[in-house]
Amino acid sequence: MTNHSDLNWLSTSACGLIGPFAFPFQSTFQRRREGLHTCRSNAHQHLEPLYGQAFFIEAVVPPMKHIRHASLEIVEAVWELFFFSGAEDCSILHAIGANAVWELTRPITPELCPREGTRMHLERVRIRFARRYSEWQMLALKNGRFFPPPRQMELTVNSFGGVQLLLRWSAGYALGDKVWVSQMVADVSSGEPVLARHSRRICEWRLGSDL
């Protein structure tokens, strides 16, 4: 497996493994001369050099409980930058105009985000998410499981008080191939500072047609 882009996570979004939702569930097994073994522990008893290692690798669903918290952390951090401080610093909202979109699977370059402070902040949150994601991948791999990095991480900020992060995986890794959406929305039309607790947070699966 190789690193994806500049981020330290395993493989790419199109790694070749078939996702768990791409076919009906079936018990995995390993074949020996004496017959079939459906349990990893039983198989390791007969192949001692492999003891403690993953005997086979299954494609599994990404750990959505962890991803939910980590994606919301990104959204909250970006919302705080743009709107809690942005309500007092009009140059931030002026810089993004009506809408700003960044693909977080790629580096945030000056061409994508001319404002240096904003660019550094976006880079910090994307790299932190990628490091945590790679840790979940490594833990899964040790247990004979694998899930790929997302093929899309689209962060959107609008000047009306909304931050949204879309996470999309390759076919089969999300039930119905839906998109994971994390949002933080608050009314900042008055121009006064708005606290994070006044915002609405939304985390849910959506169909691509509903975005």
Side-chain angles (χ1 to χ4, degrees):
M1 294 185 179
T2 57
N3 289 344
H4 178 76
S5 183
D6 66 319
L7 302 177
N8 190 33
W9 49 31
L10 297 178
S11 189
T12 66
S13 59
C15 64
L17 287 176
I18 298 175
F21 292 115
F23 53 88
F25 176 78
Q26 296 178 354
S27 298
T28 55
F29 62 85
Q30 291 294 321
R31 183 181 296 277
R32 292 177 60 252
R33 294 178 183 176
E34 293 81 2
L36 302 179
H37 287 266
T38 58
C39 177
R40 288 186 178 89
S41 60
N42 287 344
H44 279 134
Q45 290 175 6
H46 301 279
L47 294 171
E48 294 183 3
L50 294 178
Y51 186 78
Q53 301 181 34
F55 193 60
F56 51 87
I57 298 176
E58 300 172 285
V60 296
V61 182
M64 295 311 304
K65 181 178 180 180
H66 295 310
I67 291 172
R68 177 185 185 277
H69 291 291
S71 62
L72 193 57
E73 184 178 279
I74 290 179
V75 169
E76 289 179 345
V78 174
W79 190 92
E80 288 279 354
L81 171 69
F82 279 98
F83 299 112
F84 182 69
S85 59
E88 299 175 349
D89 184 358
C90 295
S91 68
I92 296 179
L93 297 181
H94 178 73
I96 65 173
N99 204 39
V101 181
W102 296 283
E103 177 53 52
L104 298 188
T105 59
R106 298 190 293 268
I108 308 298
T109 63
E111 292 75 22
L112 297 174
C113 184
R115 200 171 190 275
E116 183 178 6
T118 302
R119 183 171 68 254
M120 293 175 63
H121 189 74
L122 293 174
E123 278 291 285
R124 280 195 297 269
V125 298
R126 69 184 284 270
I127 291 173
R128 172 173 166 76
F129 179 90
R131 285 175 178 170
R132 296 169 71 184
Y133 198 96
S134 65
E135 291 173 0
W136 303 328
Q137 286 185 302
M138 289 296 296
L139 181 60
L141 198 61
K142 290 179 181 178
N143 290 279
R145 296 173 173 84
F146 175 79
F147 54 89
R151 66 182 177 91
Q152 181 184 20
M153 285 182 62
E154 184 181 276
L155 177 70
T156 305
V157 180
N158 63 63
S159 59
F160 305 105
V163 177
Q164 175 179 272
L165 179 65
L166 302 181
L167 289 170
R168 191 191 307 266
W169 284 267
S170 55
Y173 283 95
L175 186 59
D177 292 329
K178 293 181 180 179
V179 182
W180 181 254
V181 179
S182 297
Q183 289 180 321
M184 190 167 175
V185 183
D187 183 8
V188 297
S189 59
S190 66
E192 298 296 325
V194 178
L195 298 178
R197 66 172 180 266
H198 298 149
S199 65
R200 291 186 295 111
R201 294 168 177 80
I202 301 170
C203 290
E204 61 185 11
W205 289 105
R206 292 182 188 172
L207 292 172
S209 58
D210 296 334
L211 299 175

